[in-house]
Amino acid sequence: MKLLTMFMLPLSIFGHSLVESESTDNKFIFDTFQDPKRDTFLWETFPDDFLWGAATASYQIEGAWDADGKGPSIWDTFSHEGGRVYQNQTGDEACSSYNKLKRDIEMLQELGVKSYRFSLSWPRILPDGTAKSFNKAGVNYYKRLLDALVRAGIEPMVTLYHWDLPQDLQDIGGWENEMMVSYFSDYADICFREFGNRVKLWITFNEQIIFTTHGYEIGSHAPGLKHSGYGAYRAGHTTIKAHAQAWHIYDQKYRNKQHGKVSAVFQSSWFEPKTNSLGDKLAAKRAPEVVLGWFAHPILVDGDYPAVMKEYVANASRLQGLTTSRLPEFTESEKKMIAGTYDFLGLNHYTTTYVSHKARAQPRVASFDLDFDMELSQDEAWPKAASSWLKVVPWGLRRLLGWIKENYGDVPIYITENGMSQSGMDTNDELRIKYYQSYINEMLKAHLIDGVNVKGYFAWSLMDNFEWAEGYSEKFGLYEVDFDDPKRPRTPRDSARAYAEIIQNNGFIHPGSKEKTEL
Ligand code: NOJ
């Protein structure tokens, strides 16, 4: 099966023309997915103000882990410990982006993106995590980056917390300690003050569900704690309050002057019932309510956890012999403080899973994983990326966006991450091209056909980088980075050209004719 061909315009910025167009007869991108109602390709474009972008995060790209007064983060500690990350790799140097600002911006320009999503390293700005340790050199690095972006006409989307907590704050309990609410608020306040004149789109937290479960429950991410059944709920609870406080600080002190928007980024797959059984259907209905709703429901709906989440954790806690639920409760005034603290919804989406009903076999074990009586799996027939959890299932994105609209209304949505991994060095990445084409096409259908209010899209990632516990073994980059070369050269992959072309066309223009797919 041929790739859908959309390589008509030569993009000379990359030094050579793209593949010539062949046939455009194929309506489907993947052999695996050929349901005409679901998978037919849509030749259409996005609204003119659609925000195309690429994304990265501080610890994953910056390197310079102890340069210019930066304090250690929990990821410095965790990766230096040994035995935690693939081949004991670290982010000490990563992509050296701290020293390669010019090249990174050049890459964004080559892609033609309108926006760059990156994160601030908290311990670079406040080495011990608190306001008293303000580090001017760290602040200046981000000012230089922001100035360069402004000069290049690229709008920043800035994440305050993408998992690199200052180690000193972990030493007093990290996100399991309520005090983090005020430390995070101070940090957010300083960032709004220092950078807010150049930033219109702010993200408080990236994927609370991942760093709380992996960091405080399973222990596979920093800080490596295994507080099974408690850690993630406790840490998550703090982050929801911290998010809300930061949003209020912006709203009260900065919004009038800076006119920006603040929100969180949630992670969610799409969930399909594994079989037609009622149990599996109910489990699949529960899944997004718990996974996305755990953090999105309090913030977008009523300041509290989804009812189904409270019910299941309380029940599991009771089975364990506990008298109170392991899921903490918000007070009434906290609920008021939390509800409505968003200006848009940020969504990181990569894949789809099946869900089946599975009652817990060991009622007395406390574990987030067992609390909801469900089991997740994937289909062997789905195309595979290098990450074990990442199968390529484009139609899941449209279903998830529909679910969001149905449950949270007409909220403006930015897809803040989407992309796929490969394992080896190879700039010829045909599967990634198909991934981007098909997922972006499903987002287009969600927007044009289902009326979902999607405002922008950020590819993950601008370049190969430190993929957390997997080190440099899983490569998500539009640009390949050679980590064996101290200069960390970046080379565009074929997918960079394909993505640039989608951006240039603002969607998908039928190469053969003006013909468009019927809506
Ligand atoms: C989500 C995280 O935000 C990002 O840091 C990570 O690299 C990608 N997913 C890929 O796993």
Side-chain angles (χ1 to χ4, degrees):
M1 152 129 195
K2 282 176 205 138
L3 261 182
L4 266 172
T5 46
M6 50 192 57
F7 304 113
M8 294 299 289
L9 302 169
L11 290 171
S12 54
I13 199 154
F14 288 106
H16 59 272
S17 305
L18 293 170
V19 188
E20 286 304 310
S21 170
E22 299 169 42
S23 148
T24 54
D25 295 343
N26 289 315
K27 289 186 177 150
F28 306 110
I29 292 194
F30 289 101
D31 292 338
T32 334
F33 305 122
Q34 299 220 358
D35 174 343
K37 264 179 82 181
R38 187 190 62 190
D39 304 313
T40 302
F41 198 81
L42 177 65
W43 294 100
E44 264 296 350
T45 55
F46 287 87
D48 288 346
D49 62 350
F50 193 78
L51 197 68
W52 294 104
T56 62
S58 49
Y59 186 74
Q60 296 182 271
I61 66 159
E62 283 178 3
W65 76 281
D66 60 353
D68 300 336
K70 177 182 167 291
S73 80
I74 54 174
W75 270 97
D76 293 315
T77 309
F78 189 74
S79 65
H80 292 166
E81 253 167 40
R84 300 291 205 170
V85 176
Y86 174 80
Q87 292 187 348
N88 290 333
Q89 291 168 344
T90 72
D92 289 3
E93 295 182 35
C95 310
S96 261
S97 280
Y98 190 73
N99 300 305
K100 293 184 76 72
L101 203 150
K102 206 168 142 244
R103 174 69 182 127
D104 288 356
I105 291 194
E106 200 176 273
M107 283 146 52
L108 294 162
Q109 287 176 311
E110 286 170 0
L111 290 171
V113 293
K114 297 184 196 168
S115 183
Y116 179 40
R117 174 175 177 237
F118 64 95
S119 80
L120 306 174
S121 157
W122 185 346
R124 207 179 278 295
I125 295 169
L126 308 177
D128 74 3
T130 70
K132 70 175 175 4
S133 66
F134 187 84
N135 179 29
K136 210 160 184 338
V139 170
N140 284 342
Y141 163 65
Y142 293 114
K143 286 192 172 163
R144 284 200 303 281
L145 172 57
L146 286 165
D147 286 346
L149 286 169
V150 171
R151 276 197 303 275
I154 297 169
E155 184 176 335
M157 176 186 268
V158 179
T159 309
L160 291 171
Y161 187 78
H162 201 125
W163 308 357
D164 41 359
L165 186 73
Q167 181 59 44
D168 285 7
L169 296 184
Q170 187 54 49
D171 294 345
I172 55 164
W175 294 109
E176 287 181 288
N177 182 345
E178 282 268 332
M179 285 172 76
M180 228 45 59
V181 175
S182 52
Y183 289 130
F184 181 75
S185 306
D186 289 350
Y187 164 59
D189 196 347
I190 288 167
C191 295
F192 298 148
R193 184 190 76 205
E194 295 292 324
F195 311 121
N197 59 343
R198 304 157 173 89
V199 181
K200 297 286 169 270
L201 291 169
W202 288 101
I203 308 285
T204 53
F205 287 97
N206 178 71
E207 297 191 351
Q208 285 143 298
I209 192 170
I210 301 296
F211 74 82
T212 59
T213 54
H214 290 49
Y216 293 85
E217 172 94 17
I218 308 164
S220 58
H221 281 187
L225 299 171
K226 295 184 179 162
H227 299 164
S228 187
Y230 297 85
Y233 296 139
R234 234 167 10 217
H237 203 67
T238 317
T239 67
I240 293 170
K241 291 194 256 185
H243 158 85
Q245 285 271 27
W247 186 91
H248 283 293
I249 288 172
Y250 190 83
D251 201 47
Q252 283 153 25
K253 276 176 80 171
Y254 298 97
R255 192 185 292 278
N256 280 344
K257 284 177 276 175
Q258 299 180 351
H259 311 292
K261 295 183 163 72
V262 183
S263 226
V265 157
F266 308 109
Q267 189 281 139
S268 188
S269 305
W270 173 243
F271 302 97
E272 278 289 305
K274 181 147 191 205
T275 71
N276 264 334
S277 74
L278 183 62
D280 286 5
K281 283 190 191 154
L282 290 175
K285 184 171 178 296
R286 238 173 7 254
E289 294 184 41
V290 170
V291 172
L292 183 56
W294 175 0
F295 296 97
H297 190 278
I299 294 169
L300 278 97
V301 181
D302 60 4
D304 199 3
Y305 297 114
V308 71
M309 182 163 188
K310 292 195 288 188
E311 181 194 322
Y312 270 77
V313 186
N315 199 31
S317 306
R318 218 172 297 125
L319 286 175
Q320 248 189 287
L322 298 172
T323 49
T324 44
S325 175
R326 284 181 277 102
L327 183 68
E329 282 178 18
F330 293 115
T331 64
E332 287 311 311
S333 71
E334 283 171 346
K335 287 183 201 166
K336 281 203 191 92
M337 196 268 290
I338 294 163
T341 52
Y342 69 99
D343 301 315
F344 58 89
L345 184 153
L347 177 70
N348 288 357
H349 173 82
Y350 288 87
T351 195
T352 284
T353 58
Y354 286 138
V355 189
S356 23
H357 174 82
K358 189 165 190 231
R360 49 168 51 226
Q362 297 171 296
R364 303 197 77 83
V365 176
S367 152
F368 164 75
D369 239 13
L370 299 177
D371 277 346
F372 303 97
D373 291 353
M374 57 192 183
E375 189 172 62
L376 305 180
S377 59
Q378 287 178 312
D379 198 317
E380 274 309 304
W382 293 341
K384 297 177 179 58
S387 313
S388 57
W389 51 271
L390 209 174
K391 306 289 178 296
V392 184
V393 193
W395 46 265
L397 174 56
R398 180 174 175 193
R399 294 190 182 180
L400 177 62
L401 289 169
W403 188 93
I404 292 173
K405 183 179 157 83
E406 207 177 297
N407 287 269
Y408 304 139
D410 198 29
V411 50
I413 300 170
Y414 290 92
I415 305 225
T416 37
E417 284 183 30
N418 180 238
M420 64 152 269
S421 52
Q422 66 184 64
S423 52
M425 293 281 277
D426 194 354
T427 55
N428 183 320
D429 55 345
E430 190 179 310
L431 181 58
R432 187 178 284 107
I433 295 178
K434 289 175 159 193
Y435 184 100
Y436 280 123
Q437 289 172 338
S438 59
Y439 273 75
I440 292 172
N441 204 253
E442 291 297 322
M443 167 176 70
L444 182 63
K445 291 180 199 169
H447 179 60
L448 291 181
I449 303 172
D450 310 334
V452 181
N453 191 5
V454 198
K455 305 293 272 180
Y457 175 93
F458 293 73
W460 184 272
S461 174
L462 175 61
M463 64 192 123
D464 294 342
N465 58 50
F466 180 85
E467 177 58 13
W468 308 113
E470 312 310 326
Y472 300 98
S473 66
E474 294 178 9
K475 299 165 187 301
F476 280 82
L478 289 165
Y479 282 72
E480 180 165 273
V481 178
D482 183 355
F483 293 100
D484 291 330
D485 185 329
K487 294 205 184 90
R488 298 294 190 270
R490 288 101 153 102
T491 312
R493 292 206 166 98
D494 291 348
S495 58
R497 299 182 184 95
Y499 185 46
E501 176 137 355
I502 294 172
I503 295 173
Q504 194 170 332
N505 289 339
N506 200 26
F508 305 97
I509 296 173
H510 198 286
S513 68
K514 294 208 170 65
E515 175 192 326
K516 285 182 178 175
T517 317
E518 295 268 309
L519 284 189

